[in-house]
Amino acid sequence: MTEKNTPENNETPDAAAGAGSPTPDAAAPRAQPGKKAAKKSGKKAGQADVELPALGFFGMLRWAWTQLTTMKTALFLLLLVAVAAVPGSLFPQREASPEKVAQYLRDNEFWGPVLDKLQFFEVFSSVWFSAIYILLFISLVGCVLPRTKQHFQASRRPPARTPARFTRLPESGVLELPADAEAGQNDEVLRRVAKLLKRRRYRVSVRPAEGRMGASVAAERGYLREWGNLVFHYSLVGVLVSVAVGGLFGFTGQRYLVEGQGFTNTLIAYDQFNPGHRFDAESLSPFTVKLDDFHVTFNRQERTDGKYGTPVGFDAKVQVKDSATSEWKAEDLQVNHPLRVNGTDLYLVGNGYAPVITVKDGKGDVVFSEPVVTVAQDGMYNSLLVLKIPDSNPDQLAFQGFFLPTTTINANGAATSSDPDALLPSLYLNSFYGDLGLDSGKPQNVFSLDTDKLNKLNDRKLDAGGIVLGREPGENVYTLPEGKGTISFDGVKRYIGLQVRHDPGKAWVGGFAALATVGLAISLFIPRRRVWVKLSDGPAGENPGTRSIEYGLLARGEDPRLTAEAKALREQLMKEFPGLTPVEITSADNGAVRTLRD
């Protein structure tokens, strides 16, 4: 325990020997330990040292919990969640576009791997985003629960006691009762005032006279305002929980569907599948979707408007079976109008052309005959095509090039598409042979081809030149060099890109969001007000023998409609008690003089 630093304790030994009796060394400045210590510690001489108690482990936890569960921290974390979600819109996400992530990594050899380690391509499932999300959830719960208890207790308490001076309230007034009113009617007057305030949706308490304070009525309303605020915050917690449930137990998958093809909702049917951390494959609902026809409407107005050829409508005609035993049902699938099947949403997110290609190997066997999905590179549907044939003999084959819906040769002699519709389709391809690397077990992107370990068969720089295939007879078949086989262009189909999403928390998110909107509206538009009414013997002691009704109003927070409420209350009182006379009084409170006019 630190000893109190008194003047006696600061005396030097020589000073204690006798006051006014200088020692031989009195002329020399003597060191004063108290001042020296104070100088070192940055304190003035004579100031006591204070030892702060150590918080300890549990004290630190209590302090951290107190800081985390403040509304200021909750608002900061809510802002931090919004900021942390920004990279999810700036960088491609593996869940939605794995091929774009792979392309970004190829184009950015330095920053790509760095951002990948920081989980910028998986923002919404990253460790740092999840940490902010969980802290926000804990902070909101820690804020709302104590406030709920406090407001519940406050709503059960009677209205606040009647103030002594109404003139200090924002709105107040005095109404004089008629001179011929009977003196014994005070209780009846207060009862009628209480009934009037109840009709105006106030919670009322009639107060008997106590000491110098006469009988009065205290009323309060607007408790629903705080309940609305609490509902809003509980709804935010509900939204967070619902989103977390959707992320844990839901899934997202992609599938390219060519006209005439279908797929069943099983894991192996997806081109890309991203399950939640607690997803169970057995929870997949067994529905089947088949694409009958896909039609794109293009703008065919004047070419001068700059929008000629742009798509203006997409319509996919599909058939759906809810289960293995149900009947086929025709449906229309359009952009921004998803199809919902057994709690799973199907979105139309892409489209393009799928030329039908047949490949025969060197032995004359058909090793491939299917539509090939291409990737559009621009608005004219100049589309990239990659085809891998691992089953051909004597060597594996691969093709890479472009599909052009409406082929046009430009001024530079290069082929391009001049219209997005398939008016004059053609294929411009290069061919390769060798080991495709598919037997190694390493996954490959179907829309990219690694040609480093392959040998070229066809290329515009080789003697054989590139492969050009059209739809006209004699132009749709090409014989590969070195007896590797043939390739033919047999037709054109369209395909759509489907995004299949199952989110068990989606409906709850919508419900809690609507509830939060209702709670916010209640907290914004329902005012919290207090009203007091009391009887007094004349205004400020004037007109002995008369009585007056004094009223005062107070709002919690800003309430621009409090003046209108005071006016309405005065009118109701004058209607309830005919003959009341508004009184003009002048009062001085805190040195300020104001005149009250009703």
Side-chain angles (χ1 to χ4, degrees):
M1 185 173 182
T2 305
E3 185 181 5
K4 187 177 181 180
N5 196 9
T6 63
E8 289 79 11
N9 293 332
N10 284 335
E11 288 181 350
T12 63
D14 292 330
S21 299
T23 63
D25 297 331
R30 299 185 62 84
Q32 299 183 8
K35 292 184 179 180
K36 191 172 184 179
K39 189 173 183 180
K40 287 184 178 180
S41 62
K43 298 179 179 179
K44 296 181 180 179
Q47 184 176 355
D49 293 331
V50 178
E51 291 186 359
L52 297 176
L55 286 176
F57 177 73
F58 292 103
M60 285 296 296
L61 289 180
R62 191 180 301 109
W63 176 85
W65 174 257
T66 302
Q67 298 302 313
L68 179 62
T69 55
T70 60
M71 187 56 66
K72 184 187 300 183
T73 303
L75 291 175
F76 174 75
L77 289 172
L78 189 61
L79 176 63
L80 199 59
V81 166
V83 174
V86 171
S89 60
L90 296 179
F91 299 98
Q93 301 296 295
R94 280 196 174 91
E95 182 179 355
S97 303
E99 65 279 357
K100 291 184 178 179
V101 174
Q103 185 63 40
Y104 189 93
L105 292 173
R106 287 193 297 269
D107 296 341
N108 301 270
E109 297 181 356
F110 176 76
W111 285 110
V114 172
L115 294 174
D116 198 13
K117 289 183 179 180
L118 295 176
Q119 298 180 298
F120 271 61
F121 304 120
E122 299 166 338
V123 168
F124 303 106
S125 60
S126 63
V127 174
W128 46 272
F129 188 87
S130 300
I132 300 172
Y133 192 89
I134 294 173
L135 285 175
L136 174 60
F137 174 78
I138 296 174
S139 180
L140 282 174
V141 172
C143 287
V144 174
L145 287 179
R147 288 179 59 187
T148 303
K149 180 181 178 181
Q150 293 171 5
H151 185 61
F152 179 75
Q153 293 173 347
S155 62
R156 294 171 61 88
R157 288 196 295 266
R161 63 190 182 92
T162 306
R165 297 182 182 180
F166 286 181
T167 53
R168 292 184 176 182
L169 300 177
E171 295 292 337
S172 61
V174 179
L175 297 172
E176 187 176 310
L177 285 166
D180 56 351
E182 297 182 7
Q185 292 181 342
N186 287 357
D187 293 341
E188 178 64 19
V189 170
L190 293 179
R191 187 189 65 80
R192 292 169 65 183
V193 170
K195 187 176 180 180
L196 183 151
L197 290 173
K198 287 181 180 179
R199 290 201 301 265
R200 297 189 65 80
R201 300 186 303 279
Y202 282 90
R203 190 161 60 89
V204 177
S205 175
V206 179
R207 306 285 172 78
E210 294 182 4
R212 299 177 58 184
M213 179 63 66
S216 63
V217 176
E220 189 169 1
R221 78 175 185 185
Y223 287 97
L224 195 59
R225 177 190 183 98
E226 182 63 19
W227 286 121
N229 195 7
L230 292 173
V231 166
F232 170 75
H233 286 90
Y234 275 117
S235 298
L236 288 184
V237 175
V239 169
L240 293 177
V241 173
S242 301
V243 171
V245 169
L248 288 173
F249 299 98
F251 71 87
T252 302
Q254 289 81 35
R255 172 63 191 256
Y256 295 104
L257 204 58
V258 181
E259 290 175 327
Q261 294 183 354
F263 90 102
T264 302
N265 189 31
T266 58
L267 287 178
I268 60 174
Y270 285 95
D271 298 318
Q272 178 74 27
F273 192 82
N274 300 287
H277 295 291
R278 295 291 183 268
F279 171 76
D280 184 5
E282 295 182 358
S283 64
L284 288 174
S285 56
F287 65 83
T288 304
V289 179
K290 179 182 177 182
L291 177 63
D292 289 337
D293 180 66
F294 178 65
H295 179 70
V296 182
T297 303
F298 297 101
N299 181 18
R300 296 305 182 186
Q301 302 299 322
E302 295 294 332
R303 294 178 179 267
T304 56
D305 63 1
K307 299 181 180 179
Y308 183 84
T310 57
V312 295
F314 305 91
D315 186 19
K317 304 293 185 181
V318 299
Q319 293 190 55
V320 180
K321 287 182 68 174
D322 297 340
S323 63
T325 58
S326 63
E327 298 293 331
W328 288 101
K329 182 170 61 175
E331 298 283 357
D332 277 349
L333 181 61
Q334 298 179 355
V335 177
N336 298 326
H337 291 82
L339 179 62
R340 190 170 183 84
V341 184
N342 295 342
T344 302
D345 295 321
L346 282 72
Y347 297 87
L348 177 60
V349 295
N351 71 94
Y353 289 100
V356 181
I357 296 176
T358 299
V359 178
K360 295 181 180 180
D361 62 9
K363 296 182 179 181
D365 297 329
V366 176
V367 291
F368 183 87
S369 182
E370 294 179 18
V372 180
V373 172
T374 63
V375 181
Q377 305 296 302
D378 54 28
M380 294 294 110
Y381 283 78
N382 287 283
S383 303
L384 177 66
L385 183 147
V386 173
L387 177 58
K388 303 173 185 180
I389 312 295
D391 299 327
S392 61
N393 286 304
D395 298 294
Q396 295 182 340
L397 298 175
F399 301 88
Q400 185 180 43
F402 287 92
F403 168 76
L404 309 179
T406 301
T407 308
T408 303
I409 306 300
N410 60 23
N412 299 323
T416 185
S417 178
S418 59
D419 194 278
D421 233 340
L423 304 177
L424 188 60
S426 63
L427 291 172
Y428 283 74
L429 305 173
N430 295 331
S431 64
F432 305 85
Y433 72 94
D435 185 7
L436 298 177
L438 298 176
D439 298 330
S440 64
K442 294 178 61 176
Q444 293 186 14
N445 189 342
V446 296
F447 298 113
S448 65
L449 179 65
D450 186 4
T451 61
D452 293 340
K453 298 181 181 180
L454 298 177
N455 301 308
K456 289 185 178 180
L457 272 177
N458 289 94
D459 188 283
R460 63 179 181 176
K461 297 180 180 179
L462 300 178
D463 294 339
I467 300 173
V468 181
L469 295 175
R471 290 292 308 281
E472 298 297 328
E475 298 179 355
N476 63 332
V477 180
Y478 181 86
T479 301
L480 299 174
E482 303 179 17
K484 300 297 184 182
T486 61
I487 180 173
S488 63
F489 177 24
D490 301 328
V492 178
K493 293 186 177 182
R494 286 192 175 273
Y495 75 88
I496 60 174
L498 281 180
Q499 182 174 18
V500 184
R501 183 177 181 85
H502 176 67
D503 186 353
K506 181 179 178 180
W508 290 99
V509 169
F512 281 119
L515 195 60
T517 303
V518 173
L520 183 61
I522 291 174
S523 65
L524 289 176
F525 298 111
I526 292 184
R528 182 80 176 270
R529 294 168 181 165
R530 288 173 177 172
V531 175
W532 296 276
V533 179
K534 65 180 180 180
L535 294 176
S536 60
D537 296 330
E542 300 175 2
N543 302 327
T546 63
R547 292 175 302 162
S548 61
I549 297 178
E550 297 185 37
Y551 63 89
L553 292 88
L554 177 66
R556 185 172 182 178
E558 296 292 333
D559 187 359
R561 295 174 291 175
L562 187 63
T563 301
E565 176 68 12
K567 182 179 178 181
L569 177 61
R570 183 187 65 199
E571 293 175 352
Q572 290 291 325
L573 288 172
M574 295 179 67
K575 184 178 179 180
E576 183 72 22
F577 303 99
L580 283 176
T581 306
V583 178
E584 180 180 301
I585 63 173
T586 301
S587 64
D589 289 324
N590 299 326
V593 178
R594 66 180 182 132
T595 300
L596 304 177
R597 300 181 183 276
D598 292 289

